[in-house]
Amino acid sequence: SLQALADRSRAAAAEALELDPGQADAKAALAIVPSTFRNWGKSERAIRSVLREHPNHPMLTNTLAMLLGDTAQWDRAVEAARRAVALRPFAPPAATTLLYALWSASRLIEADRVSAQSLERWPRVPPVWFAHLEFLAYSGRPQEASRSGRAARAYRWSATVSAHTPEVVSPAP
């Protein structure tokens, strides 16, 4: 169950903090394990608290960007997403978070550029394609999305990327 997974995550983080009280990933895990749904303010405070101590934590910075976007704080979401990309320029999840933040902030030209750059950098990473196709389809270019979707079928998908995958530098041919 999700509750059991959350409990195991908290226990693992607590154990890591016993071994190293300054362990950034353990602190980040404790900040993001609770659901953000209906706990946005509490979650943001917890994330920012850890980021004050570990300002260069890329996953937590990206999580903050997503949380800010989830609460319609678009300019702040863009700022946090840009920071996440700067911390990990080869992390597809950070790039897709930036795409969604820019798009939601109505910064379509910048979003289009990020989408194209991401697709060029990671042509075989499914979440990058999905974000690209979704952006095209819902920003008024459904025919272009359809053409891109047909092109995507030609790839042998070689990488699965989650929000917690640190980076994919060169997917397999």
Side-chain angles (χ1 to χ4, degrees):
S1 77
L2 286 177
Q3 186 58 48
L5 180 61
D7 292 343
R8 286 196 312 272
S9 297
R10 281 189 202 91
E15 186 176 325
L17 289 172
E18 283 180 25
L19 296 172
D20 177 3
Q23 216 291 330
D25 290 336
K27 290 180 177 185
L30 291 175
I32 63 174
V33 165
S35 170
T36 57
F37 185 71
R38 291 191 171 158
N39 293 309
W40 297 287
K42 182 179 177 182
S43 295
E44 183 178 349
R45 287 188 297 277
I47 290 168
R48 287 188 184 281
S49 174
V50 176
L51 284 173
R52 276 192 290 281
E53 190 176 342
H54 303 282
N56 295 324
H57 196 283
M59 185 181 73
L60 201 55
T61 303
N62 196 56
T63 301
L64 176 63
M66 290 187 293
L67 174 70
L68 293 169
D70 289 346
T71 55
Q73 299 176 68
W74 305 121
D75 290 334
R76 294 172 70 201
V78 168
E79 181 183 324
R82 283 195 193 286
R83 174 105 173 101
V85 168
L87 290 169
R88 276 284 173 83
F90 293 104
T96 56
T97 298
L98 178 57
L99 167 59
Y100 286 119
L102 287 165
W103 177 16
S104 298
S106 297
R107 293 162 68 171
L108 300 181
I109 293 170
E110 292 171 88
D112 193 49
R113 187 174 31 240
V114 168
S115 181
Q117 289 169 345
S118 297
L119 193 60
E120 183 178 320
R121 182 172 281 173
W122 302 290
R124 292 188 176 103
V125 177
V128 170
W129 269 99
F130 182 78
H132 175 73
L133 294 174
E134 187 176 35
F135 172 68
L136 291 175
Y138 292 109
S139 63
R141 295 182 285 171
Q143 290 82 9
E144 191 175 341
S146 180
R147 283 191 303 274
S148 289
R150 284 192 297 276
R153 287 193 301 237
Y155 285 113
R156 287 181 320 154
W157 298 106
S158 57
T160 301
V161 180
S162 75
H164 305 293
T165 302
E167 48 197 327
V168 174
V169 178
S170 56

